Amino acid sequence: MNVIIDNFPLYVSGFLQTLRICAFAALGSLVLGTVIAGFRVSPVPPLRWVGTAWVTVFRNCPLTVVLFFCAFGLPEIGVNGAYFWFGVTGLILYTSAFVCEAVRSGINSVPAGQAEAARAVGLTFSQSLTSVVLPQALRTVVPPLGSVIIAMIKNSAIVGAFGVGGDLFAVGDTLTSSRGEAVLPVLIGVVLGYLVITIPGGLLLGLLERKVAIAR
Amino acid sequence: MSTTSVLFDAPGPRSKRRVLIGSVIAGLLLLGVLVLVGLRLDAQHQFDVEKWAPLFDPSDEQFPLVWQRIGEALGNTLVAAALAMVFSLVIGTLLAVTRVTAARWYRWAVVGLVELLRGVPVVIAIFFASRVLPQFGLDLEPLWFLVIGLTAYNSVIIAEIVRAGIDSLPKGQREAAESLGLRRGQVLSLVLLPQAFRVMLPAVISQLVVVLKDTSLGFVISYEELVRVAGQIVQVLSNPIQVYLLIAVIFTLINYTLSRFAIWVERRLSQGKKSATATLSATDPAGAGTGGG
């Protein structure tokens, strides 16, 4: 166990890097996923096609492939940046498809009468979506969305393994490969780092779920 | 489409016109983005024949070799996914069954294990399986480390699916079996599990999609699955965009087919009999489907 105590600062910096990746990716994928969900339910066919294609591709491709695409493809179309941002972008693209599906299933769970009433009082499509349907949908969407975000936190390890570096996965890799530390204690340290985020996250989610749940 | 009817009525002449205008604008914007990306890619010579020919032109001299490698890699991917799935099903069912039947302290141990393994990223499970197990004298092929890592995570998910499957059965099933004098093990193996598996089937197929995607994490331990072999091909042909596009298409085709199949099975199962598939929906994006990479 001394490995963990001796390398505690390294673990902390890895933990913070993981948090950083997750914070950017969570923010980005929530926004992008909601926009794509709006596309998928919109009355305009081309937008629906974009939404459907988006979800089909990003839900069925492994995150690694998406990451490779970002790393190799984005520079070719003139988007340059630090490797960190390619990793975050890949995670955002991948997660946004799951966020979209969670939001869409939430929209579908809103009773038709709500939208009909909104139309009956003369609201336009975007008005009824933003002020009647989405506020209700977002509540039913909290539990699945939470699971998506927790899965995303675990997927951030793939971004680390992919070479963004500095995160908890990279710390485990450095300690075991180049420093030759005993593997099992290092592993326990890394796993604890993730459990510190995921288990309280799960509990918080349960709490939130009970709080925002609406009887229907 | 059910969403269409929830959010808007059948359009009248005015909204029809508006939708048409919106479609044209959106279509033009989309076209614009595609053209822009295309021009940029063309400027970088991404549409040159030598970048595509080895992948798509059978008369190219490298074509057979490239596809032979991709075929092998696809085989490796499928083998790893199939093995991981079989092991996960067996271990997951055992976990779920013991959780239902066993004594309290043991049940707590299982719950603890489930929560622990659920919180660990799959890539770390795979990576450390390949580092820790050799220290205990288990020097295996990379395939087995990948399978062990995938099984560690997915057996827990399967256990949850099985448990939900058993919970979704009507209470009368268990009560009837018990009143016939069957023992606990018999109640499970003869009455509950066969029905639970039926209900679970769509969720299990969806989980297979996750496992298939996660086999690509074999790249951290140099297992020669699709993504790793793609990397090797890229090193020779230096056409990353084209190769990864092909890999993306292969994965999308397989996994899309599988998820459609899951939905089809779900529909079939819910026909005629009011089953509890709603709790275990294959289309549920929140459930097991978000597990991995």
Side-chain angles (χ1 to χ4, degrees), chain B residues 250-275:
Chain B
I250 294 176
F251 267 110
T252 307
L253 277 181
I254 297 176
N255 286 333
Y256 185 71
T257 315
L258 270 177
S259 12
R260 297 308 302 182
F261 180 56
I263 293 171
W264 179 78
V265 169
E266 191 178 352
R267 277 216 194 107
R268 268 206 68 137
L269 287 181
S270 60
Q271 261 169 19
K273 181 185 147 201
K274 201 180 153 290
S275 74

mmCIF file of all heavy atoms in Angstrom, chain B residues 250-275:
data_model
loop_
_atom_site.group_PDB
_atom_site.id
_atom_site.type_symbol
_atom_site.label_atom_id
_atom_site.label_comp_id
_atom_site.label_asym_id
_atom_site.label_seq_id
_atom_site.Cartn_x
_atom_site.Cartn_y
_atom_site.Cartn_z
ATOM 1 N N ILE B 250 -17.907 -1.018 -40.640
ATOM 2 C CA ILE B 250 -18.058 -2.427 -40.249
ATOM 3 C C ILE B 250 -18.755 -2.528 -38.895
ATOM 4 O O ILE B 250 -19.741 -3.262 -38.730
ATOM 5 C CB ILE B 250 -16.682 -3.126 -40.198
ATOM 6 C CG1 ILE B 250 -16.080 -3.212 -41.596
ATOM 7 C CG2 ILE B 250 -16.818 -4.526 -39.591
ATOM 8 C CD1 ILE B 250 -14.688 -3.806 -41.630
ATOM 9 N N PHE B 251 -18.255 -1.747 -37.919
ATOM 10 C CA PHE B 251 -18.862 -1.798 -36.582
ATOM 11 C C PHE B 251 -20.312 -1.359 -36.622
ATOM 12 O O PHE B 251 -21.187 -1.976 -36.018
ATOM 13 C CB PHE B 251 -18.083 -0.906 -35.613
ATOM 14 C CG PHE B 251 -17.010 -1.635 -34.861
ATOM 15 C CD1 PHE B 251 -15.679 -1.395 -35.123
ATOM 16 C CD2 PHE B 251 -17.338 -2.567 -33.896
ATOM 17 C CE1 PHE B 251 -14.682 -2.057 -34.431
ATOM 18 C CE2 PHE B 251 -16.361 -3.243 -33.201
ATOM 19 C CZ PHE B 251 -15.023 -2.994 -33.474
ATOM 20 N N THR B 252 -20.577 -0.252 -37.357
ATOM 21 C CA THR B 252 -21.936 0.261 -37.394
ATOM 22 C C THR B 252 -22.884 -0.771 -38.000
ATOM 23 O O THR B 252 -23.971 -1.002 -37.473
ATOM 24 C CB THR B 252 -21.997 1.569 -38.203
ATOM 25 O OG1 THR B 252 -21.029 2.467 -37.663
ATOM 26 C CG2 THR B 252 -23.353 2.208 -38.116
ATOM 27 N N LEU B 253 -22.436 -1.411 -39.086
ATOM 28 C CA LEU B 253 -23.295 -2.408 -39.739
ATOM 29 C C LEU B 253 -23.630 -3.544 -38.776
ATOM 30 O O LEU B 253 -24.800 -3.899 -38.596
ATOM 31 C CB LEU B 253 -22.602 -2.976 -40.977
ATOM 32 C CG LEU B 253 -22.720 -2.154 -42.257
ATOM 33 C CD1 LEU B 253 -22.015 -2.858 -43.398
ATOM 34 C CD2 LEU B 253 -24.202 -1.947 -42.588
ATOM 35 N N ILE B 254 -22.589 -4.118 -38.142
ATOM 36 C CA ILE B 254 -22.824 -5.264 -37.262
ATOM 37 C C ILE B 254 -23.719 -4.869 -36.102
ATOM 38 O O ILE B 254 -24.719 -5.525 -35.803
ATOM 39 C CB ILE B 254 -21.490 -5.814 -36.722
ATOM 40 C CG1 ILE B 254 -20.624 -6.343 -37.864
ATOM 41 C CG2 ILE B 254 -21.742 -6.926 -35.711
ATOM 42 C CD1 ILE B 254 -19.268 -6.808 -37.423
ATOM 43 N N ASN B 255 -23.364 -3.751 -35.444
ATOM 44 C CA ASN B 255 -24.082 -3.395 -34.231
ATOM 45 C C ASN B 255 -25.488 -2.891 -34.524
ATOM 46 O O ASN B 255 -26.414 -3.130 -33.751
ATOM 47 C CB ASN B 255 -23.299 -2.332 -33.450
ATOM 48 C CG ASN B 255 -22.099 -2.945 -32.767
ATOM 49 O OD1 ASN B 255 -22.094 -4.120 -32.454
ATOM 50 N ND2 ASN B 255 -21.077 -2.153 -32.560
ATOM 51 N N TYR B 256 -25.647 -2.217 -35.650
ATOM 52 C CA TYR B 256 -26.985 -1.747 -36.004
ATOM 53 C C TYR B 256 -27.896 -2.943 -36.258
ATOM 54 O O TYR B 256 -29.032 -2.999 -35.790
ATOM 55 C CB TYR B 256 -26.916 -0.848 -37.240
ATOM 56 C CG TYR B 256 -28.228 -0.220 -37.597
ATOM 57 C CD1 TYR B 256 -28.763 0.772 -36.805
ATOM 58 C CD2 TYR B 256 -28.947 -0.629 -38.713
ATOM 59 C CE1 TYR B 256 -29.971 1.349 -37.103
ATOM 60 C CE2 TYR B 256 -30.163 -0.056 -39.027
ATOM 61 C CZ TYR B 256 -30.671 0.930 -38.221
ATOM 62 O OH TYR B 256 -31.869 1.486 -38.516
ATOM 63 N N THR B 257 -27.355 -3.933 -36.992
ATOM 64 C CA THR B 257 -28.129 -5.141 -37.235
ATOM 65 C C THR B 257 -28.519 -5.811 -35.921
ATOM 66 O O THR B 257 -29.667 -6.216 -35.724
ATOM 67 C CB THR B 257 -27.308 -6.129 -38.082
ATOM 68 O OG1 THR B 257 -26.696 -5.413 -39.139
ATOM 69 C CG2 THR B 257 -28.166 -7.228 -38.642
ATOM 70 N N LEU B 258 -27.543 -5.906 -35.010
ATOM 71 C CA LEU B 258 -27.831 -6.539 -33.721
ATOM 72 C C LEU B 258 -28.910 -5.783 -32.962
ATOM 73 O O LEU B 258 -29.820 -6.401 -32.393
ATOM 74 C CB LEU B 258 -26.560 -6.583 -32.871
ATOM 75 C CG LEU B 258 -25.678 -7.815 -33.022
ATOM 76 C CD1 LEU B 258 -24.421 -7.663 -32.179
ATOM 77 C CD2 LEU B 258 -26.441 -9.054 -32.595
ATOM 78 N N SER B 259 -28.832 -4.433 -32.942
ATOM 79 C CA SER B 259 -29.840 -3.721 -32.160
ATOM 80 C C SER B 259 -31.216 -3.818 -32.807
ATOM 81 O O SER B 259 -32.214 -3.897 -32.103
ATOM 82 C CB SER B 259 -29.464 -2.258 -31.891
ATOM 83 O OG SER B 259 -28.398 -1.828 -32.643
ATOM 84 N N ARG B 260 -31.268 -3.821 -34.159
ATOM 85 C CA ARG B 260 -32.571 -4.034 -34.805
ATOM 86 C C ARG B 260 -33.114 -5.406 -34.430
ATOM 87 O O ARG B 260 -34.306 -5.573 -34.157
ATOM 88 C CB ARG B 260 -32.464 -3.954 -36.336
ATOM 89 C CG ARG B 260 -32.027 -2.639 -36.907
ATOM 90 C CD ARG B 260 -32.825 -1.473 -36.423
ATOM 91 N NE ARG B 260 -34.246 -1.545 -36.683
ATOM 92 C CZ ARG B 260 -35.105 -0.585 -36.370
ATOM 93 N NH1 ARG B 260 -34.660 0.516 -35.795
ATOM 94 N NH2 ARG B 260 -36.378 -0.716 -36.624
ATOM 95 N N PHE B 261 -32.203 -6.396 -34.417
ATOM 96 C CA PHE B 261 -32.596 -7.759 -34.061
ATOM 97 C C PHE B 261 -33.168 -7.777 -32.636
ATOM 98 O O PHE B 261 -34.195 -8.410 -32.381
ATOM 99 C CB PHE B 261 -31.379 -8.680 -34.169
ATOM 100 C CG PHE B 261 -31.664 -10.115 -33.833
ATOM 101 C CD1 PHE B 261 -32.644 -10.808 -34.506
ATOM 102 C CD2 PHE B 261 -30.936 -10.759 -32.847
ATOM 103 C CE1 PHE B 261 -32.908 -12.127 -34.204
ATOM 104 C CE2 PHE B 261 -31.200 -12.086 -32.540
ATOM 105 C CZ PHE B 261 -32.183 -12.763 -33.213
ATOM 106 N N ALA B 262 -32.502 -7.050 -31.721
ATOM 107 C CA ALA B 262 -32.978 -7.004 -30.332
ATOM 108 C C ALA B 262 -34.389 -6.427 -30.280
ATOM 109 O O ALA B 262 -35.262 -6.953 -29.577
ATOM 110 C CB ALA B 262 -32.028 -6.166 -29.483
ATOM 111 N N ILE B 263 -34.616 -5.359 -31.049
ATOM 112 C CA ILE B 263 -35.940 -4.740 -31.042
ATOM 113 C C ILE B 263 -36.982 -5.694 -31.618
ATOM 114 O O ILE B 263 -38.088 -5.840 -31.092
ATOM 115 C CB ILE B 263 -35.899 -3.410 -31.835
ATOM 116 C CG1 ILE B 263 -35.030 -2.399 -31.091
ATOM 117 C CG2 ILE B 263 -37.299 -2.860 -32.037
ATOM 118 C CD1 ILE B 263 -34.746 -1.144 -31.876
ATOM 119 N N TRP B 264 -36.564 -6.400 -32.678
ATOM 120 C CA TRP B 264 -37.484 -7.360 -33.314
ATOM 121 C C TRP B 264 -37.861 -8.463 -32.335
ATOM 122 O O TRP B 264 -39.041 -8.811 -32.178
ATOM 123 C CB TRP B 264 -36.795 -7.952 -34.546
ATOM 124 C CG TRP B 264 -37.614 -8.958 -35.286
ATOM 125 C CD1 TRP B 264 -38.635 -8.703 -36.140
ATOM 126 C CD2 TRP B 264 -37.482 -10.377 -35.238
ATOM 127 N NE1 TRP B 264 -39.147 -9.872 -36.629
ATOM 128 C CE2 TRP B 264 -38.462 -10.914 -36.094
ATOM 129 C CE3 TRP B 264 -36.629 -11.250 -34.556
ATOM 130 C CZ2 TRP B 264 -38.605 -12.286 -36.280
ATOM 131 C CZ3 TRP B 264 -36.774 -12.612 -34.743
ATOM 132 C CH2 TRP B 264 -37.756 -13.109 -35.595
ATOM 133 N N VAL B 265 -36.846 -9.006 -31.627
ATOM 134 C CA VAL B 265 -37.111 -10.065 -30.646
ATOM 135 C C VAL B 265 -38.044 -9.546 -29.570
ATOM 136 O O VAL B 265 -39.002 -10.223 -29.175
ATOM 137 C CB VAL B 265 -35.784 -10.547 -30.013
ATOM 138 C CG1 VAL B 265 -36.060 -11.439 -28.815
ATOM 139 C CG2 VAL B 265 -34.950 -11.291 -31.027
ATOM 140 N N GLU B 266 -37.784 -8.300 -29.129
ATOM 141 C CA GLU B 266 -38.613 -7.721 -28.087
ATOM 142 C C GLU B 266 -40.062 -7.640 -28.536
ATOM 143 O O GLU B 266 -40.982 -7.999 -27.804
ATOM 144 C CB GLU B 266 -38.072 -6.333 -27.757
ATOM 145 C CG GLU B 266 -38.676 -5.759 -26.517
ATOM 146 C CD GLU B 266 -38.092 -4.410 -26.196
ATOM 147 O OE1 GLU B 266 -37.119 -4.015 -26.862
ATOM 148 O OE2 GLU B 266 -38.616 -3.765 -25.298
ATOM 149 N N ARG B 267 -40.269 -7.172 -29.774
ATOM 150 C CA ARG B 267 -41.633 -7.078 -30.307
ATOM 151 C C ARG B 267 -42.294 -8.430 -30.349
ATOM 152 O O ARG B 267 -43.429 -8.601 -29.963
ATOM 153 C CB ARG B 267 -41.589 -6.496 -31.716
ATOM 154 C CG ARG B 267 -41.518 -5.028 -31.640
ATOM 155 C CD ARG B 267 -42.264 -4.324 -32.717
ATOM 156 N NE ARG B 267 -41.788 -2.948 -32.652
ATOM 157 C CZ ARG B 267 -40.989 -2.424 -33.545
ATOM 158 N NH1 ARG B 267 -40.648 -3.112 -34.613
ATOM 159 N NH2 ARG B 267 -40.568 -1.206 -33.410
ATOM 160 N N ARG B 268 -41.542 -9.410 -30.848
ATOM 161 C CA ARG B 268 -42.096 -10.756 -30.966
ATOM 162 C C ARG B 268 -42.514 -11.298 -29.622
ATOM 163 O O ARG B 268 -43.550 -11.924 -29.472
ATOM 164 C CB ARG B 268 -41.043 -11.693 -31.576
ATOM 165 C CG ARG B 268 -41.125 -11.794 -33.053
ATOM 166 C CD ARG B 268 -40.574 -13.108 -33.484
ATOM 167 N NE ARG B 268 -41.437 -14.186 -33.046
ATOM 168 C CZ ARG B 268 -41.752 -15.214 -33.801
ATOM 169 N NH1 ARG B 268 -41.282 -15.289 -35.012
ATOM 170 N NH2 ARG B 268 -42.527 -16.164 -33.357
ATOM 171 N N LEU B 269 -41.625 -11.080 -28.618
ATOM 172 C CA LEU B 269 -41.903 -11.618 -27.291
ATOM 173 C C LEU B 269 -43.112 -10.958 -26.674
ATOM 174 O O LEU B 269 -43.879 -11.598 -25.960
ATOM 175 C CB LEU B 269 -40.696 -11.416 -26.378
ATOM 176 C CG LEU B 269 -39.506 -12.323 -26.656
ATOM 177 C CD1 LEU B 269 -38.389 -12.041 -25.687
ATOM 178 C CD2 LEU B 269 -39.922 -13.780 -26.566
ATOM 179 N N SER B 270 -43.291 -9.653 -26.956
ATOM 180 C CA SER B 270 -44.403 -8.971 -26.299
ATOM 181 C C SER B 270 -45.711 -9.183 -27.053
ATOM 182 O O SER B 270 -46.759 -8.752 -26.609
ATOM 183 C CB SER B 270 -44.090 -7.475 -26.172
ATOM 184 O OG SER B 270 -43.895 -6.928 -27.450
ATOM 185 N N GLN B 271 -45.626 -9.854 -28.206
ATOM 186 C CA GLN B 271 -46.856 -10.142 -28.946
ATOM 187 C C GLN B 271 -47.661 -11.226 -28.237
ATOM 188 O O GLN B 271 -47.109 -12.202 -27.772
ATOM 189 C CB GLN B 271 -46.526 -10.616 -30.359
ATOM 190 C CG GLN B 271 -46.642 -9.507 -31.385
ATOM 191 C CD GLN B 271 -46.061 -9.921 -32.700
ATOM 192 O OE1 GLN B 271 -45.904 -11.113 -32.951
ATOM 193 N NE2 GLN B 271 -45.714 -8.968 -33.532
ATOM 194 N N GLY B 272 -48.960 -11.020 -28.173
ATOM 195 C CA GLY B 272 -49.809 -12.063 -27.619
ATOM 196 C C GLY B 272 -49.787 -12.105 -26.111
ATOM 197 O O GLY B 272 -50.818 -12.092 -25.478
ATOM 198 N N LYS B 273 -48.568 -12.066 -25.560
ATOM 199 C CA LYS B 273 -48.484 -12.172 -24.112
ATOM 200 C C LYS B 273 -48.016 -10.840 -23.558
ATOM 201 O O LYS B 273 -47.076 -10.253 -24.061
ATOM 202 C CB LYS B 273 -47.496 -13.275 -23.767
ATOM 203 C CG LYS B 273 -47.326 -13.514 -22.302
ATOM 204 C CD LYS B 273 -46.227 -14.559 -22.096
ATOM 205 C CE LYS B 273 -45.476 -14.268 -20.822
ATOM 206 N NZ LYS B 273 -44.176 -14.867 -20.811
ATOM 207 N N LYS B 274 -48.692 -10.377 -22.527
ATOM 208 C CA LYS B 274 -48.268 -9.117 -21.933
ATOM 209 C C LYS B 274 -47.061 -9.391 -21.061
ATOM 210 O O LYS B 274 -47.160 -9.788 -19.916
ATOM 211 C CB LYS B 274 -49.405 -8.533 -21.096
ATOM 212 C CG LYS B 274 -49.250 -7.045 -20.884
ATOM 213 C CD LYS B 274 -50.408 -6.523 -20.052
ATOM 214 C CE LYS B 274 -50.014 -5.287 -19.278
ATOM 215 N NZ LYS B 274 -49.089 -5.526 -18.203
ATOM 216 N N SER B 275 -45.883 -9.221 -21.651
ATOM 217 C CA SER B 275 -44.676 -9.546 -20.889
ATOM 218 C C SER B 275 -44.138 -8.296 -20.222
ATOM 219 O O SER B 275 -44.588 -7.188 -20.458
ATOM 220 C CB SER B 275 -43.607 -10.131 -21.801
ATOM 221 O OG SER B 275 -43.057 -9.110 -22.575
#
